[in-house]
Amino acid sequence: MARNRKAITILTSAAPVVIEMVRKYWPLIESKLRENPELLHTVQGQLHRLSELRHAGNTPQALRDRIAILREQVAYLRASADDGGEVRRAALFSKQLDNLEASIRVTEAATAHHKTKDLRHISQNLDRMTEKVVLAFIDEKSQDSYPQ
């Protein structure tokens, strides 16, 4: 029970998007952590970096830095892909991150009012991507630690 509290505290300290992710997917996350306690430490560093950048606001650079962290996770997913489905998922994630990065470049040319609104929208889309990528990363790390 104490381990679960520690895991929840570490995971939810990352950002509001992670709190929602943990709430929705806790049974899956808990089983992965129970199977592989070291997984918590691996994921903790990534989530901490994402949290710091999430709290830095919706500046173009903070968004790019968040994308860079997700790209690290996607690179891991691509490198450890065991089948065509996992390869396609990693390629899709990479393409979606490319699109978000392109959106940031376009937004930088907008007026101040539109820029703020657009960057907030990009951040929200990035939050949704973070949930998908982090869950896939946790699952893949777990599989790689304990092959079925």
Side-chain angles (χ1 to χ4, degrees):
M1 188 67 166
R3 175 182 279 167
N4 286 346
R5 277 194 292 263
K6 179 181 177 187
I8 289 171
T9 300
I10 290 168
L11 292 171
T12 58
S13 67
V17 67
V18 177
I19 292 170
E20 181 62 21
M21 181 185 76
V22 169
R23 187 188 64 73
K24 273 178 24 184
Y25 299 105
W26 178 247
L28 171 68
I29 293 170
E30 181 183 32
S31 71
K32 299 294 181 187
L33 293 175
R34 194 176 309 119
E35 292 168 6
N36 182 2
E38 287 302 310
L39 180 61
L40 179 63
H41 299 293
T42 301
V43 174
Q44 178 183 3
Q46 298 278 332
L47 293 178
H48 181 71
R49 289 172 48 206
L50 283 167
S51 172
E52 287 176 343
L53 291 168
R54 182 70 169 81
H55 292 295
N58 297 332
T59 66
Q61 190 56 49
L63 294 173
R64 283 188 188 97
D65 291 345
R66 287 169 59 194
I67 289 171
I69 293 168
L70 293 179
R71 283 194 189 284
E72 291 173 18
Q73 294 175 354
V74 170
Y76 177 84
L77 293 172
R78 186 179 307 121
S80 67
D82 300 326
D83 59 42
E86 290 181 0
V87 170
R88 285 187 297 280
R89 178 180 63 181
L92 177 63
F93 287 159
S94 184
K95 182 175 173 59
Q96 290 171 333
L97 292 172
D98 289 345
N99 291 341
L100 287 170
E101 218 159 25
S103 296
I104 294 168
R105 284 192 301 275
V106 169
T107 298
E108 288 179 307
T111 63
H113 172 72
H114 286 101
K115 184 176 182 176
T116 301
K117 182 180 172 187
D118 291 348
L119 289 173
R120 189 176 319 114
H121 182 72
I122 292 168
S123 179
Q124 291 168 346
N125 287 335
L126 191 52
D127 286 346
R128 287 188 286 278
M129 274 297 304
T130 298
E131 181 179 306
K132 293 174 189 175
V133 171
V134 168
L135 285 173
F137 182 77
I138 289 170
D139 187 49
E140 190 63 29
K141 277 286 203 184
S142 176
Q143 287 178 24
D144 290 350
S145 296
Y146 294 99
Q148 274 103 26

